Amino acid sequence: MNLFILAIKNSTKSKNLGQRLGALNDYFTFSLYRNICRSLLEKDKLLFSFLLCKKIMEGAGELNAAAFYFLLTGGVAVPGGQPNPTDWLSDKSWGELGRLSDLPAYEGLRDHFAANAAKWKVLYDRSDAQNEPLPAPWHDKLLPFQRLCVLRCIRPDKVVLAIQDFVVHKLGKQFVEPPPFDLQSCYDDSSVIAPLVFILSPGSDPMASLLKFANDKKVKFASISLGQGQGERAEQMIVHGRQNGTWVVLQNCHLAVSWMPDLERIVEGINRDNTNPKFRLWLTTYPSDKFPVTILQNGVKMTNEPPKGLKANLIGSYMQDPISDPEFYDSVTEKPMAVRFRKLIFALCFFHAIIQERLKFGALGWNIPYEYNNSDRRISVQQLSIFLNNTEEGAPIPFAALQYCFGQCNYGGRVTDDKDRRCLLVILRRYYNDGVLEDGAALSSSGNYVMPEDGTHARYIKQIQELPLTTDPEVFGMHDNANITKDQNETNKMFASILLTQTESGGSSGSDGKSQDEVMDEVATSLLDRLPENFDIEQAQLKYPITWAQ
């Protein structure tokens, strides 16, 4: 309800009814996306954007249900069919292409593919297949969503990137660039009766950000890590906080499962009449089915994961403490050294993003997955400030000492595999040397990523926002083929997750007039028809009786 009221107040005013309704719709849609995104894990944010886009298209009558479910499932395999005319397309993909040709909008697609296999192979061989037009006349004949289904058949590993481009085409770029984590906006949406809930993930620790936020607000707060026997003490802290207007932080609620009903009772008993208006209840928990649902429904939910993508990761680093603090950002005062300090901050953030993004490549990225987090970057950038402030004018920057502190201690302290440690140090040396201090210094072999021009904090963020939305593997020092397995896994996970959300849409009907229930009945009937008759157990026993003779 608050989102509706804010949309009415803050959206663009107009005397033209159509323009006013459009402004209300656009403002509310993005406000909904922004508010929900802060409570989603990174892996689910694009999924939510796509589902939001799908619902809008359904409301406008632009979505064919049969094509949508084909995109998710690839149809149901049936025996027989035409033989695969190529030696480069898998039989599974050829079968999907045949089933897609049975849909009205794609009639003749299979025959066109067989007759023009060389033209379709161009699409198959492209490293950026999501950007390659389909062979004529299919690119112009099909709508953008319909082209997603064709891409699923030929290059399923590029479907997630194509979905991202599709959301940009339908809703705008802002719907695939989640806003950076902002405690202030979350606090503004909270109240004494609406707790703030941090949904934790491996490697995330919001306490440092929360401590600084409390200091900026000049608010006292008490913190306790829940566990066996800590429930009574936590309840006393809440009572004291309600009386005095202090903040109470209950960490690791998932470890106190038996106390969760008591927490639910305590929160339900909080109201504005008997509580100091400055009081806030902060909770941290890993995803758990034991956490009270009512608190989740009424509270402000937040996640604090490393942002997905190199560009988003860099922006997240610049928006978090201490880099976002103007006093720290200008803590190196001597002009030549101050310029180097700002450039080395960017180089450190770039290094931080690279090693976190490599985790998505599985064993190609690191032999062992390490939980690099914001505390590694925070202590490293603070050490950088200390080193440069203690470096005499005209003296060289102590890169060897910085590389040791960052690569062996801060980040390297997590590394247990000797090959991973060597890889980490090599990556660090690529970004921590005299060469990166020049404007336009290459940070990748292709030259697509370079050292930005020096400037203010806002200028650096503006230059980061101009970076590509998707990152090629060459930035990580990998071959283009490194993306294939990663992207294929992302596609499978996204479609599996979307299917889990479609339980309520069984009655929706496609353009062919069949409901999803009817389609399922047809599939089940088809499967039963292909099954052989049941064995006649009684006849088998008579024909092959059991004998006990040795």
Side-chain angles (χ1 to χ4, degrees):
M1 183 59 70
N2 288 335
L3 293 181
F4 280 108
I5 295 172
L6 288 173
I8 294 171
K9 289 182 178 179
N10 300 331
S11 58
T12 305
K13 306 295 189 294
S14 176
K15 293 182 179 180
N16 183 291
L17 180 60
Q19 293 179 357
R20 175 60 174 158
L21 291 175
L24 281 169
N25 188 45
D26 293 343
Y27 186 95
F28 176 75
T29 302
F30 184 64
S31 178
L32 178 71
Y33 168 77
R34 186 177 62 242
N35 277 270
I36 291 182
C37 256
R38 70 186 178 198
S39 63
L40 295 177
L41 299 176
E42 287 296 322
K43 66 183 180 65
D44 296 324
K45 291 182 179 178
L46 179 59
L47 182 149
F48 173 68
S49 297
F50 184 52
L51 288 176
L52 183 64
C53 183
K54 175 236 180 190
K55 283 293 183 183
I56 293 174
M57 291 177 65
E58 276 185 345
E62 300 175 355
L63 186 68
N64 181 296
F68 177 71
Y69 277 90
F70 177 88
L71 178 66
L72 300 185
T73 64
V76 179
V78 293
Q82 298 181 14
N84 188 347
T86 69
D87 57 358
W88 46 267
L89 188 70
S90 69
D91 290 338
K92 176 177 180 293
S93 295
W94 172 249
E96 290 182 353
L97 196 65
R99 293 190 290 277
L100 182 62
S101 300
D102 294 334
L103 299 181
Y106 303 91
E107 187 176 353
L109 176 63
R110 175 172 47 197
D111 296 335
H112 183 276
F113 183 93
N116 301 272
K119 294 181 180 180
W120 287 94
K121 193 173 188 300
V122 175
L123 172 66
Y124 180 83
D125 290 336
R126 282 287 297 266
S127 60
D128 58 342
Q130 74 277 7
N131 299 324
E132 177 71 13
L134 301 181
W138 291 100
H139 190 81
D140 296 327
K141 183 178 179 180
L142 299 177
L143 298 173
F145 181 83
Q146 294 171 332
R147 293 198 287 266
L148 290 177
C149 296
V150 179
L151 186 65
R152 180 209 158 88
C153 298
I154 300 174
R155 285 296 299 274
D157 57 305
K158 296 299 180 183
V159 171
V160 170
L161 296 178
I163 286 175
Q164 182 174 269
D165 293 340
F166 175 73
V167 173
V168 172
H169 170 74
K170 295 296 291 186
L171 300 181
K173 193 174 182 180
Q174 69 271 25
F175 285 88
V176 295
E177 294 182 343
F181 179 69
D182 184 10
L183 263 179
Q184 180 63 55
S185 64
C186 298
Y187 175 78
D188 292 341
D189 290 341
S190 69
S191 66
V192 293
I193 60 174
L196 296 104
V197 185
F198 281 102
I199 310 299
L200 301 177
S201 58
S204 67
D205 183 10
M207 285 307 296
S209 301
L210 188 53
L211 277 169
K212 184 180 185 303
F213 185 65
N215 290 334
D216 293 342
K217 289 287 185 181
K218 296 180 173 55
V219 176
K220 294 181 179 179
F221 80 94
S223 166
I224 184 174
S225 181
L226 294 180
Q228 188 174 5
Q230 297 296 318
E232 184 177 347
R233 185 181 170 199
E235 186 171 358
Q236 292 173 355
M237 290 169 62
I238 294 174
V239 172
H240 184 268
R242 291 174 60 187
Q243 294 173 350
N244 300 305
T246 57
W247 292 357
V248 177
V249 184
L250 305 184
Q251 302 181 63
N252 302 319
C253 292
H254 59 284
L255 299 180
V257 174
S258 61
W259 191 68
M260 286 300 99
D262 294 322
L263 176 63
E264 185 175 18
R265 170 184 54 80
I266 293 169
V267 172
E268 288 178 350
I270 299 174
N271 58 66
R272 301 179 190 275
D273 297 331
N274 61 11
T275 306
N276 190 306
K278 294 182 179 180
F279 168 77
R280 290 294 185 276
L281 178 61
W282 302 76
L283 309 171
T284 72
T285 178
Y286 274 88
S288 171
D289 57 354
K290 304 298 182 184
F291 193 85
V293 175
T294 55
I295 296 179
L296 285 175
Q297 290 174 337
N298 298 324
V300 177
K301 299 167 286 296
M302 303 160 284
T303 59
N304 191 19
E305 278 189 306
K308 184 178 180 181
L310 187 63
K311 175 182 176 179
N313 201 307
L314 285 169
I315 292 176
S317 294
Y318 269 79
M319 297 298 289
Q320 292 186 10
D321 182 65
I323 300 174
S324 61
D325 184 356
E327 183 177 346
F328 174 82
Y329 195 73
D330 298 325
S331 59
V332 178
T333 55
E334 184 187 348
K335 187 172 182 180
M337 196 62 74
V339 173
R340 296 173 184 174
F341 176 58
R342 290 190 289 268
K343 286 185 174 293
L344 289 176
I345 285 178
F346 181 85
L348 177 64
C349 293
F350 199 88
F351 163 75
H352 179 82
I354 288 291
I355 62 174
Q356 283 193 328
E357 287 294 301
R358 284 178 67 97
L359 288 168
K360 297 171 184 176
F361 292 91
L364 291 178
W366 302 105
N367 291 332
I368 301 171
Y370 304 103
E371 297 176 359
Y372 303 115
N373 57 39
N374 294 335
S375 63
D376 302 322
R377 186 194 62 242
R378 186 183 305 111
I379 187 62
S380 296
V381 78
Q382 289 170 343
Q383 289 174 346
L384 175 63
S385 175
I386 294 171
F387 271 105
L388 295 192
N389 275 317
N390 291 324
T391 300
E392 296 180 1
E393 184 177 357
I397 295 176
F399 281 114
L402 291 171
Q403 290 170 3
Y404 182 85
C405 288
F406 301 169
Q408 298 285 5
C409 302
N410 302 340
Y411 289 93
R414 301 179 182 277
V415 180
T416 55
D417 185 85
D418 61 321
K419 302 300 186 297
D420 285 341
R421 182 178 296 275
R422 182 193 297 178
C423 180
L424 179 75
L425 293 172
V426 168
I427 296 172
L428 179 60
R429 284 197 291 269
R430 182 189 301 173
Y431 306 120
Y432 257 62
N433 56 70
D434 288 316
V436 301
L437 299 177
E438 301 294 329
D439 287 344
L443 300 177
S444 66
S445 57
S446 66
N448 292 333
Y449 292 83
V450 297
M451 176 60 67
E453 296 179 2
D454 183 52
T456 61
H457 182 270
R459 180 172 173 79
Y460 271 96
I461 291 181
K462 183 178 179 181
Q463 294 180 85
I464 292 171
Q465 289 173 337
E466 296 172 356
L467 294 176
L469 191 59
T470 58
T471 310
D472 293 331
E474 58 91 14
V475 180
F476 308 104
M478 298 180 180
H479 190 270
D480 286 346
N481 289 347
N483 261 345
I484 294 176
T485 302
K486 175 181 76 71
D487 290 345
Q488 182 68 66
N489 290 338
E490 287 184 357
T491 299
N492 294 338
K493 289 177 182 177
M494 171 176 276
F495 288 161
S497 299
I498 294 176
L499 282 170
L500 292 176
T501 69
Q502 300 305 299
T503 54
E504 78 286 354
S505 47
S508 63
S509 60
S511 61
D512 54 1
K514 296 180 181 178
S515 71
Q516 290 304 317
D517 288 339
E518 290 173 336
V519 172
M520 290 175 63
D521 286 341
E522 288 184 3
V523 171
T525 303
S526 174
L527 290 173
L528 288 173
D529 290 342
R530 297 202 306 271
L531 289 175
E533 293 294 329
N534 291 335
F535 289 111
D536 188 337
I537 302 299
E538 185 176 349
Q539 182 66 30
Q541 289 176 338
L542 293 174
K543 188 173 182 179
Y544 303 101
I546 299 174
T547 59
W548 302 101
Q550 294 293 330

